[in-house]
Amino acid sequence: MNDEKIIKVENVSFAYHSHNVINNVSAHINKGEFVCIVGENGGGKSTLVKCIVGLNKNYKGNITVIGRVAYLSQLTEVQNNFPATIEEIVLSGTIANRPRSIFYNKEDKRICREALEKLALYDMRKKCFRELSGGQKQRVLIARAMCSTAKIIVLDEPTNGLDPTIAAQVYEALHTLNKENGITIVMVSHDIHRALENADRVIQITKGEIVFNDVPSKFDHRGCGK
């Protein structure tokens, strides 16, 4: 495992309306890791990743991120009903590589096709996004993130509301990106069982504090580190 720290969180605290959600948290993510952040609802998981990707700006402490980050939030109603094809959405991810141009070139299309093939979406690339299942939509958004040449993908509950079979497909897609493409994955998950099966490391947050940060084999299934 590469020990290059590409995300460093140092003594970070964040409050909503004077209520502390994250309390003096410190952690790091190594290049090439697959890290799952787990914990109870309202415990601070999503708040922490929003600080990392820059959506929550008024935090105390220091956060350093080395490399381009693609952030996948939970699907909204607008996203669910977006009237575009799979191919159009995935191809739009390449815009991040050349923000001064709105036109796609041959290299963009090659990158798009590679991402579609990698996530088994190529044969259905002309289908409309809003007609897809929840798992298919997540795979499309992951493919789009791939096209942005991001070195880090941060996901907030990408399997929330999906049945177990579809959730397994999403994890499989992320595992492929991590192990075959070397993309660092940071994923908030409510599904501790799948996190333990797939992650290189698990970070558990309870009441705004990290109570476990280690390999899955050392995790106590009752909810505490051992």
Side-chain angles (χ1 to χ4, degrees), residues 20-90:
N20 270 0
V21 182
I22 296 292
N23 301 305
N24 200 36
V25 164
S26 294
H28 69 269
I29 308 293
N30 292 328
K31 183 178 180 179
E33 272 195 301
F34 190 143
V35 176
C36 281
I37 301 175
V38 302
E40 61 194 8
N41 289 335
K45 307 185 301 296
S46 294
T47 299
L48 177 60
V49 298
K50 286 178 181 177
C51 290
I52 290 172
V53 301
L55 293 178
N56 289 338
K57 298 183 182 300
N58 297 322
Y59 58 81
K60 296 179 180 179
N62 296 296
I63 296 176
T64 304
V65 180
I66 301 172
R68 180 174 287 171
V69 178
Y71 174 61
L72 278 69
S73 62
Q74 296 186 39
L75 280 172
T76 65
E77 191 62 29
V78 172
Q79 289 172 315
N80 272 316
N81 293 298
F82 198 67
T85 67
I86 292 173
E87 187 173 43
E88 289 169 338
I89 290 175
V90 175

Side-chain angles (χ1 to χ4, degrees), residues 135-155:
Q136 289 170 332
K137 288 176 179 176
Q138 290 291 14
R139 281 162 51 209
V140 169
L141 296 179
I142 292 167
R144 184 182 187 277
M146 285 178 64
C147 287
S148 70
T149 66
K151 301 301 181 184
I152 307 164
I153 297 181
V154 178
L155 308 98

Side-chain angles (χ1 to χ4, degrees), residues 72 75 80 86 89-90 116 119-121 123-125 127-144 158 162-163 165-167 169-170 173:
L72 278 69
L75 280 172
N80 272 316
I86 292 173
I89 290 175
V90 175
L116 289 168
L119 293 177
L121 294 166
D123 289 343
M124 53 192 297
R125 64 191 182 281
K127 288 191 68 173
C128 185
F129 184 76
R130 62 188 175 194
E131 297 173 357
L132 305 179
S133 69
Q136 289 170 332
K137 288 176 179 176
Q138 290 291 14
R139 281 162 51 209
V140 169
L141 296 179
I142 292 167
R144 184 182 187 277
L162 303 182
D163 69 53
T165 301
I166 302 301
Q169 293 175 2
V170 173

Side-chain angles (χ1 to χ4, degrees), residues 171-189:
Y171 270 100
E172 183 179 354
L174 292 172
H175 189 270
T176 297
L177 292 184
N178 176 245
K179 301 308 177 190
E180 296 185 12
N181 292 53
I183 294 175
T184 303
I185 304 291
V186 181
M187 175 178 173
V188 171
S189 178

